[in-house]
Structures are given as C-alpha cells and as structure tokens.
Amino acid sequence: MASTRVNHRVGRILAMAGKEVLHIRRDIRTLYLALAMPVVMLVLFGFGISFDVDHLELAVVDQDRTDLSRELVRQVTASQEFVVVQDGTSPDEAVGALRKGTAMSVLLIKKGFAEDVKRGGAQVQLLVDGADGNSATQALAKAQALVEMAGRKLGGPVRVAAPPLEARVRTLFNPDARSAMFLVPGLAAYLLAIVAVLITALTVAREWERGSMEQLFATPVGRLEIVVGKLLPYLGIGLLQVLLVLTVGAWVFDVPVRGSLVALSLGSVLFLVGMLGQGLLISVVTRNQVVATQVATMTSVLPSMLLSGFIFPIENLPTPLKLISTLIPARYYVATLRGVLLRGNGLDVLWPQLVALALFAALMLVVATRRFQRRLD
Amino acid sequence: MTPAIEVQHLTRRFGSFTAVDDVSFEVGTGEIFGYLGANGAGKSTTIRMLCGLLKPTGGGARVAGFDVDKEPERVKAGIGYMSQKFSLYLDLSVRANLEFFASAYGAYGRELETRIGEMVERMQLGAVQDEVTGALPGGLQQRVALASAVLHRPRIVFLDEPTAGVDPIQRRSFWELIRYLASRGTTVFVTTHYMDEAENCARIGIMVDGKLVALDTPAGLKRTHAPGRVLEVRGPRLAPALDSLRGMAGVLDVSRFGSGATVRVDPERLPAEALADWLRARGVDPLELEDSAPTLDDVFLALTARAQRGDD
Ligand SMILES: Nc1ncnc2c1ncn2[C@@H]1O[C@H](COP(=O)(O)OP(=O)(O)OP(=O)(O)O)[C@@H](O)[C@H]1O
Ligand SMILES: [Mg+2]
C-alpha cells in the first residue's frame, strides 16, 4: 500500500521530469548554449585576463635587518598571497627583477624601521608591477591591509608609502595559467547560479504565465513533485556544467583536484539546490518571465559574479558589500571549490562553508514551498 | 443517490469585489450542466473553487463527495478540468501531451498505452498524434485538450469555455463527444458564451454579476423568462419604429439582429396583427413578420436587462 503510493509519487515526478526534458529538447539550442558557455568563458577568461592576486611574487629589500623587520615580512607572506622570490637584494636588483618579470612587487624596508615602529610611526615602501591595472590595485590593497595588520601585531602603526606604480610592458598572455586556478571555482559558481536560478525562474514562471500551472494544480501532482520533477533535469545540466568546467580546467589549465571529492560533490549539490530553490521562490512570487529574469539577475547572477570572490577578492570589498556577501551562497561555494581544488582541503576544513550552503538551501526550499501553494489565490 | 456537485452559498471575494455571490445549486450524476454568463460574470471563478483551486471566502461545495475547501486533493483526483486559458503544452506533440497528463494522473505502462489508444480513436486524433500541438487548428487543439482532461476517466469533468473560437462544424462534433461522455455516466459541467450550444445541456444556470439569477432546463427557462410569442420582423425604416416600440403595452422585449429584429410580445395584450398594423403605420412597409420560437438568447437578454434595471 505504502509502496504503491511511493510508486505513484515517483511516477508523477518522472512524468514532470520527462516533460521538462521534452521542452529542453524542443529548444535544444539553449542546452548547447548552456554547455558551451562554460567552456568558452573559461578559455576566454583563463587566457585573457589575470585576476590573480594570490601568490604574488615579492622581492624583499630589507635594509633594517632586525627581528621586527623580519617579522613584518613573515606576517605579510604568511597567507601565501605574497611569496618571497628574492630576499636580501639591493633596491636596484629588486627593481630589475620587477622589470624582468621575475617579481611582481617589491617591499622596501628602510634602515631604522624597528626604531620607527617603537616610536609609533613606521613606513615601508611598496612597488607594484602596474602592467595589469586590476592586479596592481588589488595587490596594493592587499599589501596595505597585510602591512597594517602586521604593524598592529608588532606594536606600532606601519603605513605603506604611496607607492609609485612601476609600469612595464608585458603581454597579457598568461603562460602558467595562474588565473585559471582561481577562475575555475568562481566560474563554476557563476555558471551554476545562472543556470539554476535563471532557468528555473524562467521555466516555472512560464508555466504561470501560460496558465499551465493552473492545469497542473488541478491534477493530483503534488507541489513537491512539481518542484522536484521540474528541477531534476536542470540539476543534471548544472552538474554536467560543473564537470565540464573541472575537466577543461584540468586539461587546459592544469587546475588540480587535490582535496576531498565528497566535499566537492556535497558542496555542488547543496549550492545547486539552494539556487534552484531561489529560482523557484522568484518565479512563485513574480509569476512572470520578464520580472523573474530581472529579479534573478539582481539577486543571484550579479552577486554570484561580483560578491562571491570570483572577480573581486572579498577582502577588498568595502565593508557594507562584505556584509552583504555573507548572504551570497556563491561565496561559500567558491570557497569550497578553492579549498578542494587548490588547497587540497577536506570536510574537516570546509564544513563551515557546507553548513552555510545547507542553511541557505533549506531556507530557500522552506520559504519557496510555503509560498508555492497549489492554489491560485 | 447523492448529487455529483453540491454547491451551497458559495461566495468568493477579491478584496472588496464579489466575483461569486452566494451561489447554490446541485448537479446530478451524468448530467450535462451548462453555466452561462457574460464576461466577468464569475463562471471561471466558480469552476476554480469547485476544482479545489481557489478557496471560497464563504459557503462551500462538495464535488464527487468531497469538500472542495477541506479535501481539495481528493476532489482533484476525481475530476477532469479543462481550463479556459491553457490546456496543453503547445511545444510538445499531441502524443506527448496525452502521455504527460495520463501519467500525471498515475497511469503508466500498458494501462497508459491502452487509455491513450482508446482516447486517440474516440477523439479521432490518430492522424495528428505526432504533430506539434501548437501547429494544429483551434478545433483540433480543443479536442486534444478534452482528451487529456478525461484520459483518467474522471466521474466529473469541468470544461471552461471549451469551444471558444472554434468554428461551428467543429463545435458540433465537440458536443457529440460531450454527449458521449455523459452517456457513459460522466457528469459534465460546461461554461459557454454560445447560446445555441447551451440547448444541449440538461439544465442551465445563468450568472449575472456573480449571482446565479436562473436555473432550469432550457425549456423551463424559456417558459419563465421569455414567455409570450416571438416575432421576427424585417422592413424599411425599422430602427426609429423599434425605438418607440420599446415600452409599449404588451411588448416584452425588443432585440435587433442584422437587418431585422425580434420582438417578444404578450399575445393577450398585443396580437401579432395589431403589432403589424402599428409598424406599417410607422412606415415599415413592406413588412415581413414571421413567427419564431423563443431562444436562450431571449432568456439571456431578458435576465441581463432585468439585472441592469435593478442596478439603475
Ligand atoms: N485573482 C483575481 N483577482 C481579482 N479579481 C479577479 C480574480 N479572478 C477573477 N477576478 C474578477 O472576478 C470577476 C469574475 O471573473 P471570472 O473569470 O470568474 O469571469 P468569467 O465569467 O469566467 O468571465 P469570462 O467569460 O471572461 O471568462 C471578473 O471581474 C474578474 O476580473
Ligand atoms: Mg472565464
């Protein structure tokens, strides 16, 4: 008895999913686009633009040579955002390294630094390769933050002198694919956000608009069955996209998958469910394709690009945006992917991100199914 | 035997506007029940409440033995519904639509195949089953929609303007299908704007501004609401004559059509010959005067006119 009820439930979900697959097949170009877009974007972004502000090669010119100055260098490089490629060089050598491209930035600590710190006001100088304006400003902001933080730990404020940006010509070709490393996680989150939220919002809103939702509500198909059946094919497409991005990342840009596959899959599914839930909520509230598209773009696609750490590092965001970013699930997904792909992390490290994703998914599903009554009023 | 549909004081408000106002009626099993009314009279709103899609704000209804407010899911399992706006996925084939709706109601495997096979034959859809639904003419689409609404053999089927925009020949064959369903014991609740179609119904309810103002068999409605004799008149200079005819003693109703008009009279007070003389005297000469039977149009006009007078 109970099992036939489950059978009926599964049967209705499959009926919904099958119908959705037919809709997708009738509009096959959208599917091709959904699958080609990640590859094209990854290749374009990966070869074209450098967003990298991590692992910046730093040449250190330490003329002070005290415990304090060495501690400053240690603090600045502790987070791996800057790595020391040259140490103990002269200022001329350091600038030479900058010109040759072996270093991306130079940290100059003048003699008397330690005493200045104790007196309560020290200054260091930073030279940054300005060939890539975006990276340069980000590196600068990051170095400033790091130096100031280090200064507080050392016991006196340390300022970064307004650094003259050293410009030099460099091709934008990115031979060692450093960007792709950071691009793959961000891009994956961004693409999933588009597919999940936008397409869900659109296809569900379309059923409202055409009146087919009314017809569906008159059948015994439950609202959870409508939701699950309708979203299953898009969950499949979303996961396929993740795989594509990871594969292209690995083949073309040598982006490794070092960490836990469990964390990776769990994170992807949780993130997708949250995004699908958000898309559903949008369509339930708007019941209109045009409005749904706008709302989805504003609340999900744009934030997933701008506030997730994909394009702008979260640390560099102004405080209000930083606060808003804590509400953006893409932020936690990007962090999960970066942890798994680049740092080799597992569940032990990434669980807070996964919990955040799970909370968001649960919230969206609860609110959406509450709002999604099988009634017209 | 309990009626298939029992409606008691059913009311639905949208804000301060009352779309369905204290409506009560019953529909017997196997009956074809027609629901007539002008645009915005509250027909679709009534149907939506009876299908468990819209919550009544007052009163209640039982459909197939279940309370539409408290047990909407059980109601849904026992009925078929063809909505006014949408009935089919136009980008899918006829067959895909039928398969989807059959499985949405829980049919699968061989059961699904036989039901669809039967329905395709019954509705004569064999030749078009692989066509994209949106490419079919309106009449055929409506037939596919009816097929999808009754595939699961519901005991009651609600059809909301199923023949809107369909040509007369297709409409006639559509009504043959409706009669066939009723002959097998299915209760049919149907709304329409076409009065000629309504003659096919066993009983008719007429809605005006949310209120059920009349409910009877077609013949009964004509007797009560369009009594007297209906005369069709044609001739020159008819329009000014008709204007002064309205309000004359013994004239119950005047309505124009094309080049002529129908005049409903109380034969006791105004015999046909007297009317003819009166019209000729106003210059309607040569006059053609023909006896005709009252139609549901006359009923409908009389009822809506009465409601309007009541409003004034
Ligand atoms: N969801 C709603 N919100 C507000 N008003 C509504 C809603 N649904 C219907 N109405 C109003 O209720 C009235 C009755 O509408 P309904 O659709 O029942 O009429 P109808 O008799 O089916 O008309 P038609 O012949 O045009 O289909 C209309 O004035 C309509 O504007
Ligand atoms: Mg209607």
Side-chain angles (χ1 to χ4, degrees):
Chain A
M1 196 54 216
S3 82
T4 56
R5 203 179 308 152
V6 171
N7 277 346
H8 279 151
R9 199 168 259 273
V10 172
R12 290 192 296 254
I13 291 176
L14 290 182
M16 277 304 295
K19 171 185 89 71
E20 209 53 39
V21 169
L22 288 182
H23 286 312
I24 296 170
R25 272 181 40 187
R26 290 286 310 173
D27 187 17
I28 199 76
R29 274 186 311 187
T30 306
L31 178 64
Y32 290 153
L33 196 70
L35 293 180
M37 191 171 58
V39 179
V40 171
M41 279 182 85
L42 184 58
V43 170
L44 277 181
F45 278 64
F47 282 126
I49 306 162
S50 162
F51 290 122
D52 256 342
V53 290
D54 279 70
H55 290 73
L56 295 170
E57 304 92 339
L58 180 72
V60 175
V61 183
D62 184 357
Q63 296 174 327
D64 195 41
R65 293 175 191 282
T66 57
D67 284 348
L68 270 184
S69 68
R70 275 188 288 274
E71 181 58 20
L72 177 77
V73 173
R74 221 181 54 73
Q75 293 279 347
V76 168
T77 54
S79 63
Q80 297 281 305
E81 280 153 332
F82 289 93
V83 274
V84 178
V85 289
Q86 272 183 25
D87 200 354
T89 47
S90 73
D92 285 347
E93 276 176 304
V95 172
L98 204 60
R99 290 241 158 78
K100 275 194 304 237
T102 48
M104 206 272 178
S105 50
V106 175
L107 180 65
L108 180 62
I109 308 173
K110 290 244 171 69
K111 197 156 180 58
F113 168 78
E115 278 147 40
D116 287 348
V117 169
K118 282 177 198 133
R119 238 179 280 129
Q123 213 176 52
V124 297
Q125 218 179 52
L126 193 79
L127 300 173
V128 181
D129 168 15
D132 180 345
N134 185 35
S135 298
T137 38
Q138 289 190 41
L140 198 55
K142 191 156 286 186
Q144 245 154 358
L146 286 169
V147 168
E148 270 156 32
M149 205 159 65
R152 278 197 292 279
K153 282 189 190 151
L154 297 180
V158 178
R159 286 195 310 109
V160 177
L165 292 189
E166 276 280 320
R168 75 188 157 76
V169 184
R170 191 177 81 163
T171 57
L172 284 178
F173 178 62
N174 186 2
D176 43 21
R178 279 180 299 120
S179 271
M181 296 258 196
F182 286 85
L183 206 59
V184 168
L187 196 56
Y190 174 60
L191 292 166
L192 287 186
I194 294 182
V195 169
V197 180
L198 205 56
I199 296 189
T200 312
L202 275 180
T203 59
V204 181
R206 190 181 306 150
E207 301 242 11
W208 285 111
E209 236 173 55
R210 293 193 184 158
S212 47
M213 201 56 101
E214 177 171 349
Q215 195 72 42
L216 277 180
F217 287 172
T219 70
V221 183
R223 55 183 174 170
L224 208 63
E225 292 157 9
I226 295 180
V227 172
V228 173
K230 214 167 162 59
L231 299 191
L232 266 181
Y234 297 106
L235 186 68
I237 293 176
L239 291 175
L240 208 61
Q241 284 185 316
V242 177
L243 274 180
L244 258 177
V245 170
L246 291 183
T247 311
V248 173
W251 275 357
V252 183
F253 299 108
D254 291 325
V255 177
V257 181
R258 295 203 188 100
S260 151
L261 280 179
V262 176
L264 177 70
S265 327
L266 204 61
S268 302
V269 171
L270 286 175
F271 177 65
L272 268 175
V273 171
M275 293 286 101
L276 295 172
Q278 189 178 340
L280 181 67
L281 180 60
I282 292 171
S283 73
V284 168
V285 174
T286 64
R287 298 189 179 190
N288 170 301
Q289 290 193 75
V290 177
V291 184
T293 311
Q294 287 165 352
V295 176
T297 307
M298 290 302 294
T299 61
S300 145
V301 176
L302 284 182
S304 297
M305 180 161 75
L306 302 177
L307 300 179
S308 65
F310 168 32
I311 289 189
F312 304 119
I314 288 169
E315 310 82 75
N316 293 1
L317 294 174
T319 314
L321 287 183
K322 213 182 276 181
L323 282 178
I324 295 176
S325 82
T326 57
L327 301 175
I328 307 297
R331 170 192 171 148
Y332 303 101
Y333 186 52
V334 170
T336 306
L337 287 182
R338 286 192 177 155
V340 171
L341 297 182
L342 308 173
R343 283 192 281 278
N345 291 342
L347 288 173
D348 50 336
V349 178
L350 294 173
W351 67 266
Q353 320 286 349
L354 296 179
V355 168
L357 287 174
L359 282 179
F360 182 82
L363 179 74
M364 280 302 137
L365 283 189
V366 168
V367 178
T369 25
R370 282 219 165 165
R371 290 295 306 262
F372 187 60
Q373 294 296 330
R374 290 180 69 224
R375 296 254 193 188
L376 298 167
D377 38 346
Chain B
M1 197 165 124
T2 60
I5 304 171
E6 269 180 276
V7 180
Q8 266 161 10
H9 306 294
L10 193 64
T11 302
R12 172 72 208 202
R13 278 181 218 96
F14 295 109
S16 60
F17 174 75
T18 307
V20 174
D21 193 356
D22 195 15
V23 166
S24 304
F25 60 87
E26 286 183 2
V27 180
T29 302
E31 188 177 2
I32 300 180
F33 185 84
Y35 208 52
L36 307 190
N39 288 333
K43 304 182 295 291
S44 299
T45 306
T46 308
I47 287 201
R48 285 175 174 151
M49 287 191 281
L50 296 184
C51 293
L53 296 170
L54 203 60
K55 225 173 153 51
T57 37
R62 296 182 79 80
V63 171
F66 299 110
D67 187 305
V68 295
D69 190 19
K70 299 198 185 70
E71 309 160 287
E73 299 314 311
R74 309 189 88 153
V75 170
K76 286 173 190 176
I79 63 165
Y81 172 47
M82 186 171 155
S83 73
Q84 178 175 359
K85 191 171 162 198
F86 162 91
S87 328
L88 300 164
Y89 293 99
L90 296 181
D91 58 331
L92 303 187
S93 72
V94 169
R95 177 107 197 158
N97 268 292
L98 294 175
E99 280 172 0
F100 171 68
F101 284 106
S103 47
Y105 280 98
Y108 54 91
R110 190 170 305 158
E111 171 79 6
L112 183 139
E113 291 300 320
T114 37
R115 285 193 185 192
I116 292 181
E118 264 174 37
M119 199 49 77
V120 162
E121 194 181 328
R122 184 70 230 166
M123 304 270 172
Q124 295 160 17
L125 296 171
V128 296
Q129 54 175 321
D130 295 320
E131 308 244 345
V132 175
T133 313
L136 299 178
L140 262 176
Q141 280 186 19
Q142 295 304 80
R143 234 191 291 166
V144 180
L146 178 64
S148 352
V150 298
L151 261 176
H152 58 293
R153 300 182 189 142
R155 289 160 54 197
I156 306 170
V157 43
F158 292 89
L159 310 174
D160 197 353
E161 296 195 26
T163 53
V166 173
D167 69 63
I169 296 169
Q170 291 278 355
R171 281 205 276 141
R172 192 168 313 147
S173 73
F174 195 91
W175 271 91
E176 270 162 32
L177 295 171
I178 292 180
R179 278 196 298 271
Y180 163 77
L181 287 173
S183 73
R184 301 207 328 184
T186 310
T187 308
V188 180
F189 186 108
V190 57
T191 74
T192 178
H193 277 301
Y194 300 111
M195 297 299 153
D196 56 332
E197 285 187 355
E199 300 275 359
N200 288 297
C201 302
R203 282 189 313 144
I204 293 169
I206 294 182
M207 293 283 287
V208 177
D209 296 336
K211 293 194 185 66
L212 185 66
V213 294
L215 174 70
D216 206 343
T217 59
L221 282 174
K222 289 173 200 165
R223 247 190 332 267
T224 333
H225 299 285
R229 204 167 151 191
V230 174
L231 301 164
E232 254 176 55
V233 295
R234 279 172 220 272
R237 285 189 287 283
L238 193 55
L242 287 178
D243 286 338
S244 37
L245 190 60
R246 276 183 240 270
M248 189 174 147
V251 173
L252 299 172
D253 196 17
V254 179
S255 62
R256 305 209 52 182
F257 68 86
S259 61
T262 55
V263 181
R264 192 153 54 77
V265 296
D266 179 352
E268 308 277 288
R269 289 157 70 195
L270 184 65
E273 299 72 44
L275 176 68
D277 292 343
W278 190 88
L279 283 171
R280 282 201 196 89
R282 310 269 141 161
V284 188
D285 204 1
L287 172 73
E288 283 176 56
L289 193 132
E290 221 176 305
D291 240 326
S292 87
T295 62
L296 284 172
D297 273 311
D298 298 317
V299 173
F300 194 72
L301 285 170
L303 284 169
T304 42
R306 196 177 68 191
Q308 260 153 24
R309 276 199 303 278
D311 283 351
D312 287 346

